[in-house]
Amino acid sequence: MARSTARKRALNTLYEADEKGQEILSLLAERIDHPGAQTPLPEYAIEIIRGVEEHRRTIDSALNQFSQLWKVRRMAVVDRNILRIATWEIKYNPEVPSKVAIDEALSLAKTLSDAESPSFIHGVLSAIDDHKDEIEEIVIPVAEPESPESEGPESESPEQEHAEQAPSDPDVRDGADDEGERDEHNSAPVAELKSEEDRVSDDGAGIDSEAGEQAETSADSTDVTIEERSDTEE
């Protein structure tokens, strides 16, 4: 099938997608699977459509740059898609000479657009052809895959849970140690008292009354000390 026919079929699909606001490749897939009453899309028409979609940002940027009258969004639907096809051929298809691409675009414009369109299209495409090597490709950034989100803390063993539930307050631990220290400290006066009593018992009558009074006083003092510490504990 002649490329002229393929260009017209490509234009029909691009025009329809533009009018409907449908994704180009989505409509292309429909036309390939269900051509309807028409013959299947020519291979070159499919190549044009895919090429225009792949480079559409770069193509539209170039059209905006070199159009002296209208920006892409304000152009007639048929005009901007004729321009897109021809720009793709000029910039991305080395098999088609630029002059052929421009002539084919003008032929479509004379058939399908208004009387002023051919001169407008010719001016834009001539400028694009003159500066095609200066047109920089606009690359759409590809989003990096997100790192897997944390699925939450790992399940803990019963031993770990028990360890976490155990008192960890330093005051609690210190309190236990203090209690042991108190017991050890309090036991000293008692031991001293016991030793004193044993000494008194061994000396018997040899200990005078003054020594007995001193032992009695020591015992009273020890009892008071322990009791006071007991009150402190409570």
Side-chain angles (χ1 to χ4, degrees):
M1 185 178 291
R3 284 188 170 180
S4 295
T5 302
R7 289 184 184 91
K8 187 174 182 180
R9 295 289 300 276
L11 177 61
N12 289 340
T13 303
L14 292 172
Y15 178 89
E16 182 179 356
D18 204 341
E19 279 283 285
K20 291 180 176 180
Q22 184 176 351
E23 291 184 359
I24 293 173
L25 296 183
S26 171
L27 182 60
L28 174 61
E30 292 178 15
R31 292 294 169 264
I32 292 174
D33 293 338
H34 307 287
Q38 294 184 331
T39 58
L41 278 173
E43 287 298 324
Y44 189 59
I46 296 172
E47 184 181 353
I48 290 172
I49 295 167
R50 287 176 175 163
V52 167
E53 173 58 19
E54 181 181 358
H55 301 285
R56 186 158 57 91
R57 288 200 176 191
T58 304
I59 291 170
D60 285 0
S61 176
L63 293 176
N64 282 330
Q65 181 180 354
F66 296 108
S67 172
Q68 299 297 318
L69 296 177
W70 309 105
K71 298 303 181 184
V72 172
R73 63 185 179 83
R74 298 194 62 190
M75 295 176 186
V77 178
V78 65
D79 287 354
R80 66 170 164 251
N81 285 292
I82 290 173
L83 286 166
R84 284 168 174 167
I85 291 172
T87 302
W88 175 78
E89 288 189 309
I90 292 170
K91 175 71 177 172
Y92 298 102
N93 191 354
E95 296 180 0
V96 177
S98 297
K99 185 179 184 305
V100 173
I102 295 172
D103 287 345
E104 290 290 328
L106 294 176
S107 177
L108 288 170
K110 290 174 182 177
T111 305
L112 303 171
S113 195
D114 59 38
E116 297 178 356
S117 292
S119 61
F120 167 67
I121 289 172
H122 184 271
V124 174
L125 293 179
S126 296
I128 287 176
D129 184 35
D130 290 340
H131 301 279
K132 63 183 176 183
D133 294 332
E134 302 170 15
I135 297 173
E136 296 183 0
E137 187 73 19
I138 298 176
V139 180
I140 302 174
V142 179
E144 296 182 1
E146 296 182 0
S147 58
E149 295 182 358
S150 173
E151 296 180 358
E154 296 180 358
S155 58
E156 299 177 345
S157 63
E159 292 79 3
Q160 289 174 321
E161 293 179 359
H162 180 71
E164 289 183 358
Q165 293 174 359
S168 59
D169 189 347
D171 294 337
V172 176
R173 293 197 302 271
D174 293 345
D177 294 340
D178 290 345
E179 186 176 354
E181 291 174 0
R182 284 199 299 270
D183 291 342
E184 184 178 355
H185 179 76
N186 293 339
S187 64
V190 175
E192 291 174 3
L193 176 61
K194 228 172 147 185
S195 174
E196 185 69 22
E197 288 175 351
D198 291 342
R199 186 174 63 79
V200 172
S201 176
D202 291 341
D203 291 344
I207 301 176
D208 58 14
S209 60
E210 183 178 353
E213 289 176 1
Q214 289 177 351
E216 230 174 47
T217 304
S218 174
D220 292 342
S221 175
T222 303
D223 289 341
V224 171
T225 303
I226 294 174
E227 184 177 354
E228 286 178 354
R229 289 184 180 276
S230 176
D231 288 343
T232 304
E233 288 175 16
E234 293 177 357

